[in-house]
Amino acid sequence: MAIRLQNTLTRTKDLLVPGDPARVTMYVCGPTVYSRAHIGNARPAVVFDLLRRLLRHEYGRDHVVYARNITDIDDRIIAQSIADGVPIETITARTEAWYLADMGALGVEPPDIAPHATTSVPAMVAMMQILIAKGHAYAAEGHVLFDVASDPGYGSLSRRPLDEMIAGARVEVAPYKRNPADFVLWKPSTPEQPGWESPWGRGRPGWHIECSAMIAESLGTTIDIHGGGLDLQFPHHENELAQSTCAHDGAPLARIWMHNGFLKMGDSDKMSKSLGNVVGVDELLAQGWHGEVLRLALLSAHYRQPLEWSEALLEQTKKTLDYFYGLLRRSKGVADIFDPLYAADNESDLSISLSFQLALEDDLNTPLAIGSLHQLAHAVGASLELDLSDPHSVAGAVLAANRREFIRAANMLGVLQSDPNNWFKGDGDSSATDAFVAARTAARVAKDFAEADRIRDKLAASGIILEDGPSGTTWRRA
Ligand code: AMP
Ligand code: ZN
C-alpha cells in the first residue's frame, strides 16, 4: 500500500501518509451551479472519483471520506437568474441536479458529503471573525478583506511573486483595500441581491472563504488530499490555503494538493464557457456516446497532462470498449460455470492485478493502467482459444480466473458496468436515461415544470416513455 501523488505544494511526487488511515479525507472543489457542465468540468469529477475508488480499495470502503462542495452563491448565478427571470434557487437546484445526472452517467458516484455554500454561511462568518481577531483580516465599508501582507506564507502554493499574483488575479484596486492583493472574504449585498446578516451588515461571502470554512466544517482542520483543476491553483487555492492556515495557527490545510490539467478542443488550450468552445456532457450523451466511452476517454491521458478532445478519441475508445465487451460476452458461459467454484475466495480476495494497481498507485498513471487492462483482456482472449469443450477442464478454470481479474481492474476504472448483451444492442445505456429521469425529478421538486417537461419531451424523442407513479418515476422503451 503505497500511493504516490504529485503534490503541487512540494512539486514532488509524495507518498500519501494519511493523518488517520481509518479516516482518509479528500476535498475537491465542486461546481458553481449556474450552467450545465461541459466535458472539461467532468475531468476532475472523473479523476477524483477514480482516486476515491483506489483509496477505498487500499484503506477500506468505510475509511475514506470524500467531500465535494456546491457553490450556490456567486455573481454568475445572480446574473443567470436575472437573465432567465427565475429565482436563484431554481437555477441552483436545476443545475445541481443536472450536474449529478451528468456525472452519474459517467459513473461518478456522489461524494460522501456535499456541503452547500448557502447552508455554511455561519461557519464562514465564524472563520472571518477568527481571522479578524488574529490580525489576518479587516472590515472596511461593509466588506471583509484578507490582509495578504499579514501572511508570510502567501504564495507558497502557486510560487508566484506577489506582483505577478496581483496581475494574475486581476484584482480590483478599491479604496477600502490596504493592499491591492488583499482579497474579499465578504461583500455587501443590495436589497435585491441574496444576502445574510453578519457583524459587517447584510452581505454575502466571497468564493475562497466558502471552501476554507466548508473543509473545516465537513472534514477537519488538516485534510489528506485537496483537489481541483489547474486553474484553481491561483488564486482560489492559494487563498484557501492562506485563510485556513492563518485561522488555524499555521496548521496545514492539506497534506497533498493535486491539480488536473485541461481538456482542450480545437485551437485553444482550455475548454471553457468564456471562450465559447464547450461541449456539454448531456450533448455528448444525446449524440449517443455511452457514459463509459466518455469516462474512459477522459482517463486515457494522464490527469496532469493536457487532453485533446476529439471525435477520433471517442471512436477509438468506443472500439476498445466493444473489444472488451466482446470478450466478456464470449467468456460468459464458461465463467458462469466456474465462478461459483471461486465464490468463497471471491469474498475474501478482492486483490487486483499487481501491474494495474502499481500503475494507479504511481500518481494515477491511467495510460499505464489502461495498458495493463489491455493485457488482462488479451489473457482472456488467449484463454478463449483453449479447448473449452469440457467446461470442467483446467482451461475453463483459467478462463474464469483471467476473466475475473480483468473485470476487477475494469471495475476500479469504472467501466464494463453494463450487461454485455445490452451493450451490443445499443440499449446498455440505462445510466444516461436514469440520469435524465433524476434530473427531471429534481426539476419537479424545484417546481421548474418547464425544465421537467423539456426533459420528458427529449426522452420521448429518443423513444423513452416516462411513467409517474406514487413511488416515483419509471421508464420504458416505446
Ligand atoms: P467551475 O465550475 O468553472 O469552477 O469548474 C469546475 C471544475 O472543472 C474545476 O475544478 C475546474 O478547474 C475544472 N475545469 C474547468 N474547465 C476545465 C477544462 N477545460 N479541463 C479540465 N478541468 C476543467
Ligand atoms: Zn475550493
Side-chain angles (χ1 to χ4, degrees):
M1 186 152 68
I3 300 178
R4 285 190 162 70
L5 299 166
Q6 179 69 25
N7 188 352
T8 307
L9 193 63
T10 58
R11 303 291 196 271
T12 54
K13 217 188 266 184
D14 292 345
L15 183 67
L16 173 67
V17 184
D20 175 6
R23 188 173 177 274
V24 183
T25 48
M26 174 161 83
Y27 182 93
V28 173
C29 298
T32 301
V33 282
Y34 71 103
S35 73
R36 195 142 195 166
H38 58 72
I39 189 71
N41 297 136
R43 193 176 192 193
V46 167
V47 162
F48 291 103
D49 178 77
L50 173 61
L51 179 55
R52 176 209 219 178
R53 287 167 194 251
L54 180 67
L55 293 170
R56 281 177 161 183
H57 175 75
E58 309 226 350
Y59 292 92
R61 205 183 159 80
D62 300 332
H63 299 298
V64 179
V65 191
Y66 175 30
R68 188 186 63 204
N69 71 297
I70 297 288
T71 296
D72 54 359
I73 311 171
D74 186 271
D75 288 353
R76 287 169 298 178
I77 302 175
I78 300 175
Q80 191 70 48
S81 136
I82 293 168
D84 292 3
V86 292
I88 283 176
E89 295 70 29
T90 306
I91 302 281
T92 53
R94 165 173 97 190
T95 316
E96 181 179 353
W98 280 339
Y99 185 78
L100 291 175
D102 293 343
M103 297 310 129
L106 304 187
V108 174
E109 284 182 48
D112 301 302
I113 308 175
H116 286 61
T118 45
T119 51
S120 298
V121 174
M124 299 175 209
V125 169
M127 189 175 251
M128 286 184 262
Q129 285 176 311
I130 292 171
L131 287 169
I132 292 174
K134 291 185 192 287
H136 291 296
Y138 54 93
E141 296 180 25
H143 292 70
V144 178
L145 293 128
F146 186 88
D147 182 359
V148 166
S150 77
D151 177 16
Y154 192 75
S156 58
L157 181 68
S158 56
R159 299 194 185 176
R160 298 185 187 196
L162 196 58
D163 53 349
E164 211 180 276
M165 288 194 282
I166 295 172
R170 283 187 233 105
V171 287
E172 222 183 312
V173 180
Y176 47 81
K177 282 187 183 180
R178 288 184 194 162
N179 180 326
D182 293 352
F183 56 90
V184 169
L185 306 182
W186 185 264
K187 58 183 170 189
S189 292
T190 61
E192 310 77 57
Q193 289 170 332
W196 288 260
E197 291 307 328
S198 83
W200 317 285
R202 188 174 170 280
R204 58 191 192 280
W207 175 33
H208 317 306
I209 194 75
E210 291 177 16
C211 283
S212 281
M214 289 190 280
I215 291 171
E217 195 179 37
S218 59
L219 295 176
T221 306
T222 300
I223 60 171
D224 295 312
I225 300 169
H226 190 319
L230 196 55
D231 51 344
L232 301 189
Q233 208 179 94
F234 183 83
H236 184 54
H237 287 168
E238 192 72 63
N239 293 352
E240 278 187 29
L241 179 62
Q243 295 160 161
S244 297
T245 349
C246 290
H248 300 138
D249 299 323
L253 172 53
R255 295 187 172 83
I256 293 189
W257 289 80
M258 292 173 70
H259 292 98
N260 66 269
F262 294 136
L263 179 148
K264 53 184 194 161
M265 199 167 65
D267 296 335
S268 63
D269 288 339
K270 183 189 173 197
M271 178 179 282
S272 107
K273 205 166 173 248
S274 56
L275 296 173
N277 60 347
V278 298
V279 52
V281 175
D282 61 322
E283 291 176 69
L284 289 161
L285 293 169
Q287 285 166 20
W289 296 109
H290 193 285
E292 286 191 6
V293 173
L294 306 180
R295 182 177 176 105
L296 194 61
L298 285 171
L299 294 174
S300 65
H302 187 260
Y303 77 89
R304 285 190 288 114
Q305 298 302 319
L307 170 62
E308 177 81 46
W309 194 256
S310 67
E311 187 90 1
L313 171 67
L314 292 174
E315 272 157 17
Q316 183 54 44
T317 311
K318 164 87 168 55
K319 276 197 195 122
T320 299
L321 285 169
D322 284 348
Y323 163 59
F324 289 167
Y325 272 109
L327 289 170
L328 283 189
R329 190 169 54 170
R330 283 169 59 208
S331 57
K332 194 168 184 311
V334 175
D336 282 348
I337 296 171
F338 272 88
D339 269 347
L341 299 181
Y342 285 84
D345 114 315
N346 256 347
E347 289 292 313
S348 57
D349 169 25
L350 286 175
S351 65
I352 45 173
S353 142
L354 190 60
S355 63
F356 179 83
Q357 180 169 344
L358 290 176
L360 290 184
E361 286 180 345
D362 182 13
D363 194 27
L364 284 188
N365 190 335
T366 50
L368 203 60
I370 293 170
S372 166
L373 186 63
H374 271 279
Q375 280 172 1
L376 298 171
H378 289 319
V380 174
S383 38
L384 278 168
E385 302 303 318
L386 301 173
D387 178 6
L388 297 164
S389 52
D390 173 6
H392 296 283
S393 66
V394 174
V398 169
L399 172 60
N402 285 342
R403 185 179 194 272
R404 223 179 4 259
E405 214 175 7
F406 171 55
I407 289 175
R408 278 185 198 157
N411 277 344
M412 172 76 78
L413 287 179
V415 295
L416 304 189
Q417 307 296 300
S418 299
D419 180 318
N421 290 319
N422 290 344
W423 177 269
F424 289 104
K425 272 193 265 160
D427 59 359
D429 198 3
S430 63
S431 61
T433 307
D434 290 343
F436 283 117
V437 172
R440 175 173 169 269
T441 304
R444 280 158 53 106
V445 170
K447 303 216 183 315
D448 185 357
F449 297 110
E451 173 62 14
D453 289 348
R454 194 190 66 81
I455 297 174
R456 193 198 51 214
D457 295 346
K458 193 171 159 154
L459 287 172
S462 55
I464 307 280
I465 308 294
L466 299 184
E467 285 164 353
D468 295 317
S471 56
T473 303
T474 54
W475 60 269
R476 61 177 171 81
R477 286 177 205 286

